[in-house]
Amino acid sequence: MNSSLRLKRGDERGCRSVMQAMARHSAQRSSSFGSASRCVIFYPMRIGSLTLKSNLFLSPLAGYTNLPFRLVVRELGGVGLCTTDLVNARSLIERREKAFKLIETRPEDSPLAVQLFGSVPEEMRDAALVVEARGAVSVDINMGCPVKKVVKIGGGSAMMTELGKTAALVRGMVNAVKIPVTAKMRLGWDDDNLTAPDLARALEDAGVAAIFVHGRTREQGFGGTVNLAGIRKVVEAVKNIPIIGNGDVVTPQAVKKMLDDTGCAGVSIGRGAFYDPWIFKRTVEYCSVRPVAEPGRATGAALHLPPEPSFAERVRVMRRHLDLMIEIFGEELGCRMFRKVAPWYAKRFGPCHEFNKKVVQVATRTQFEEVLENYIRWRLQFLDDQGELLTRYQPAPLVASFMRDSGSIQGEHIPVPKGPVEVW
Ligand SMILES: Cc1cc2nc3c(=O)[nH]c(=O)nc-3n(C[C@H](O)[C@H](O)[C@H](O)COP(=O)(O)O)c2cc1C
């Protein structure tokens, strides 16, 4: 234990200067470039002792970010780190099969973070040790929104008690494992209780290596606009660790806006990756890449938005996704699970009700192919001579909540999950 602690402290010192360079550059990026000349610069990104290929992350989406989807995203490229679905710490230490299925991985599924959920410090610590032993490169704590609504006098001290407890839980994990421990949180309970900056500071002192911030309050659920200024406050609250912004990022332009407006070190994408698993690669293409050794220098490269993937490419990747689902979960379960996945791909197909109606019934690979073949034939009526969708059938462009005109209507409905949304 002593030697692991020594190693950890050494690592921390080693990466501190890199973090400071990043933070300095982040401030420079937002202050010294005029808005017209601002340029998003991607680093190999550091989180504690980890070096990641990009500052783009796959957010945990319970029921979706399983091994097949992570492999799909990685094969397309551009993502720096993927995270598993939320895993119950107690189930993991009790060695429950379901929990182990959630952390199932392969060498190609690396680097991988496992997200843990739980409030008993010993269970979280022991689960972190299990995750580390299984090869995860970092462990993420689902913080949700740990502070109760503070409406009465005395609430402030209650908040500090919660913060103290949370920090102690984190310290126990940080001291137990060598891999970086990170945390994911919302901005706070509601607009009057934006507690994320205080919590982030306390967690940094407790040793977390990075913090993911979903820029909404618990009260907002998954609706309303993501608050970039709120994320910025968290960036400003911490000393050295990277803050990764999250929420409604559905396009490469939205990644750039979140980076520019908040000064955050990276962006984590959840539902946007389900609409568009190519988003990471397209964002890297859209933005410039510059090594960390040269902070503060814009590349000057013109931002060029790569085209959306063609229908043929979407179909290719959807098929690959199903193959992986069958390989990993077996044909029956894989096909059943794919019933809720395929309609996400179809959202960008143009008219797709014929497909959605049938795909939710498939039970085998062969049935899926039949549904697809029939759909491709049916879809011909919406195409021009070149085989492209006629303009009037093209899906509306995706626009992040924080990039929409206040009066505009969102073209897509992003479903809200059932379940304990208060912890996400
Ligand atoms: C279906 C679904 C499942 C989610 N599961 C988790 C989860 O397991 N852990 C977590 O921290 N957040 C979870 N979230 C929240 C997302 O990680 C993310 O913070 C949120 O959706 C906002 O980002 P996005 O707009 O890029 O999806 C989930 C969200 C959705 C829609």
Side-chain angles (χ1 to χ4, degrees):
M1 178 63 84
N2 276 347
S3 66
S4 74
L5 276 176
R6 268 201 303 280
L7 178 67
K8 194 186 323 290
R9 290 198 186 107
D11 285 346
E12 256 167 29
R13 272 197 301 275
C15 72
R16 184 159 286 229
S17 58
V18 177
M19 292 305 175
Q20 279 166 346
M22 283 179 60
R24 262 200 313 277
H25 174 59
S26 178
Q28 264 174 331
R29 191 178 62 211
S30 39
S31 62
S32 64
F33 299 135
S35 59
S37 60
R38 267 182 200 167
C39 194
V40 180
I41 299 173
F42 283 82
Y43 295 100
M45 164 133 193
R46 297 291 304 264
I47 289 192
S49 52
L50 268 184
T51 303
L52 304 172
K53 271 197 231 144
S54 88
N55 56 353
L56 300 175
F57 297 76
L58 177 66
S59 282
L61 292 178
Y64 293 97
T65 37
N66 46 31
L67 178 56
F69 182 58
R70 297 194 304 267
L71 290 173
V72 163
V73 164
R74 290 182 194 282
E75 284 176 7
L76 295 175
V79 71
L81 180 73
C82 294
T83 305
T84 62
D85 297 13
L86 179 81
V87 186
N88 185 317
R90 185 174 302 165
S91 303
L92 211 53
I93 52 181
E94 286 174 353
R95 314 234 149 223
R96 296 200 188 268
E97 203 186 322
K98 263 193 174 166
F100 274 89
K101 195 71 188 166
L102 287 176
I103 62 166
E104 181 179 356
T105 185
R106 293 178 175 179
E108 317 85 271
D109 181 35
S110 180
L112 178 69
V114 171
Q115 188 188 61
L116 292 178
F117 170 60
S119 56
V120 180
E122 296 73 24
E123 289 178 359
M124 289 294 276
R125 179 200 60 205
D126 292 349
L129 284 164
V130 172
V131 160
E132 180 177 50
R134 292 252 157 175
V137 300
S138 68
V139 56
D140 185 49
I141 308 172
N142 186 308
M143 286 283 161
C145 187
V147 183
K148 295 213 175 80
K149 191 169 189 180
V150 186
V151 286
K152 320 186 266 245
I153 296 170
S157 63
M159 189 195 298
M160 291 320 291
T161 314
E162 287 288 330
L163 283 187
K165 267 198 220 157
T166 308
L169 178 146
V170 169
R171 243 180 241 116
M173 295 172 74
V174 169
N175 288 335
V177 293
K178 295 189 189 72
I179 53 177
V181 175
T182 63
K184 178 164 179 286
M185 62 177 71
R186 281 185 179 244
L187 288 179
W189 188 279
D190 58 25
D191 282 345
D192 297 328
N193 294 284
L194 295 180
T195 47
D198 286 343
L199 181 57
R201 227 180 345 253
L203 294 182
E204 180 174 26
D205 291 343
V208 301
I211 294 175
F212 298 81
V213 184
H214 178 189
R216 287 196 175 90
T217 61
R218 173 179 164 148
E219 193 181 56
Q220 276 181 287
F222 285 84
T225 304
V226 164
N227 178 352
L228 297 186
I231 297 177
R232 181 162 200 107
K233 288 206 173 102
V234 185
V235 172
E236 287 164 357
V238 296
K239 288 176 274 206
N240 290 315
I241 58 169
I243 300 298
I244 293 120
N246 164 244
D248 272 4
V249 171
V250 286
T251 57
Q253 301 96 311
V255 174
K256 174 175 159 38
K257 176 140 181 86
M258 187 172 271
L259 287 165
D260 282 347
D261 287 14
T262 69
C264 63
V267 170
S268 189
I269 304 173
R271 291 164 297 177
F274 238 85
Y275 287 131
D276 177 11
W278 297 262
I279 190 169
F280 303 100
K281 177 172 162 250
R282 292 177 72 233
T283 301
V284 170
E285 284 168 18
Y286 178 62
C287 303
S288 325
V289 181
R290 184 155 287 281
V292 75
E294 300 174 67
R297 278 188 51 197
T299 61
L303 293 170
H304 168 71
L305 187 65
E308 285 206 22
S310 63
F311 176 69
E313 168 68 354
R314 289 182 192 281
V315 168
R316 180 191 73 77
V317 173
M318 180 173 66
R319 278 197 172 113
R320 171 74 181 138
H321 196 157
L322 177 59
D323 286 344
L324 287 163
M325 293 288 274
I326 291 173
E327 196 180 309
I328 290 158
F329 296 109
E331 184 164 15
E332 198 199 329
L333 180 59
C335 285
R336 205 157 8 101
M337 290 170 76
F338 205 66
R339 293 174 185 176
K340 71 170 181 181
V341 174
W344 287 75
Y345 283 97
K347 279 180 193 294
R348 309 300 293 164
F349 284 175
C352 60
H353 50 277
E354 266 309 298
F355 179 75
N356 287 345
K357 217 166 53 189
K358 302 274 166 52
V359 83
V360 293
Q361 295 166 1
V362 297
T364 63
R365 185 78 172 80
T366 312
Q367 283 174 10
F368 176 82
E369 284 304 327
E370 275 167 23
V371 167
L372 185 58
E373 208 177 291
N374 288 337
Y375 171 66
I376 291 173
R377 246 195 322 269
W378 177 83
R379 187 175 175 270
L380 290 174
Q381 63 189 299
F382 306 106
L383 307 183
D384 63 18
D385 296 346
Q386 316 297 315
E388 297 299 330
L389 268 180
L390 291 161
T391 316
R392 65 181 180 280
Y393 296 115
Q394 286 171 7
L398 289 166
V399 184
S401 64
F402 50 86
M403 294 181 82
R404 256 174 250 148
D405 301 336
S406 47
S408 76
I409 298 162
Q410 166 140 42
E412 296 275 343
H413 171 66
I414 299 181
V416 173
K418 293 191 191 108
V421 290
E422 67 276 12
V423 299
W424 303 337

